[in-house]
Amino acid sequence: MRLRSDPRARLRVVLAEVDGRIARERAHASRTGATRATRATGASGATGAPGTPAPRSKAVAFRILFDEHLPRVRRHLSCFLDDRSEVEEIAADVFVVAWKKLQPENPMGITWLIRTADNKLRDAARRDRSKRRAIDALTRGLQETSDALHPLEALALREAIVTLSARERQVVVLTYWDELTAGEVAQVLRCSAAAVWTTLTRARAKLRRQLEAKEADA
């Protein structure tokens, strides 16, 4: 098994460790709680008031993060990648990194996860991904967010998206595909909300011009 090179294998190891820790923590809490209850009853004839909740452990925080956000990370990646195995591989890599960097008292949110996924996508693109494949997947993804398009409309949309810059395509995906607010997009891209709106407005105008030109030529 290529444990070092396969993010999915590494994630399985992480999840096994996380679930093992959670099981041990629950068993320990159960034993401790029973002991405290026995002592309190013996001393006063009744159980004492519940104490301050224990801080959330790293394992528990990660399991909550993973269960809540894995579907959205997969969805984001599927807008750029056609191959489901590649989606699963990069999503796994994102959560392996999240486990390493997780601070239980301040867990990361969806914007951090999507930004990390985008970084992984760029790394993959430099290795073996072409711009054309990303455009194809983006067109398909945008089609799936609305009513089914006629094949000629889908072709026009695909050709229009090619005219966008990489940043414009990214803003369009985050806004319409991932359904993030302008503020959340700004967090992902590390820019201002105003810059997001400016880029989105420019991208819309480009798409509108291209699609209107296609209609005029039809």
Side-chain angles (χ1 to χ4, degrees):
M1 181 173 62
R2 296 169 56 196
L3 183 59
R4 288 185 176 275
S5 60
D6 185 353
R8 288 166 293 187
R10 293 201 301 273
L11 180 61
R12 287 194 292 271
V13 171
V14 167
L15 290 175
E17 178 183 351
V18 164
D19 291 339
R21 286 191 188 186
I22 291 174
R24 290 191 295 273
E25 289 167 4
R26 287 175 176 170
H28 176 72
S30 179
R31 290 193 301 269
T32 303
T35 302
R36 288 176 177 171
T38 300
R39 289 175 179 173
T41 302
S44 62
T47 57
T52 303
R56 181 179 293 172
S57 70
K58 181 176 181 178
V60 170
F62 179 80
R63 174 49 82 173
I64 292 172
L65 180 81
F66 179 81
D67 290 344
E68 181 177 355
H69 294 309
L70 176 62
R72 292 192 69 182
V73 172
R74 282 173 172 162
R75 175 178 168 80
H76 176 76
L77 291 168
S78 71
C79 193
F80 294 94
L81 301 172
D82 295 306
D83 189 333
R84 182 173 177 81
S85 67
E86 291 177 332
V87 170
E88 295 295 333
E89 181 175 335
I90 295 181
D93 207 3
V94 168
F95 281 95
V96 169
V97 174
W99 168 249
K100 293 177 181 177
K101 297 189 175 184
L102 179 64
Q103 298 178 358
E105 68 281 2
N106 186 30
M108 59 279 286
I110 186 61
T111 55
W112 186 94
L113 294 168
I114 287 180
R115 184 166 59 243
T116 302
D118 282 345
N119 290 337
K120 297 295 181 182
L121 281 170
R122 281 192 288 271
D123 291 343
R126 283 192 290 268
R127 291 194 302 268
D128 58 5
R129 201 77 64 243
S130 70
K131 178 181 177 182
R132 178 59 59 184
R133 288 181 62 193
I135 294 293
D136 289 342
L138 173 56
T139 305
R140 174 177 48 79
L142 289 176
Q143 287 176 237
E144 292 175 2
T145 64
S146 59
D147 295 335
L149 296 179
H150 185 278
L152 291 179
E153 293 176 324
L155 177 61
L157 175 60
R158 180 184 181 282
E159 292 177 350
I161 290 173
V162 174
T163 67
L164 301 182
S165 69
R167 174 52 64 96
E168 288 165 349
R169 288 195 301 273
Q170 194 172 27
V171 170
V172 167
V173 168
L174 292 171
T175 302
Y176 294 108
W177 178 245
D178 293 307
E179 299 180 342
L180 299 184
T181 66
E184 290 171 330
V185 175
Q187 289 181 46
V188 172
L189 302 181
R190 298 186 185 277
C191 65
S192 67
V196 170
W197 282 116
T198 298
T199 303
L200 185 59
T201 300
R202 186 168 60 242
R204 285 170 173 166
K206 282 186 179 181
L207 290 173
R208 187 180 301 111
R209 286 196 300 269
Q210 290 295 318
L211 293 174
E212 288 174 351
K214 285 292 181 182
E215 290 180 1
D217 292 339

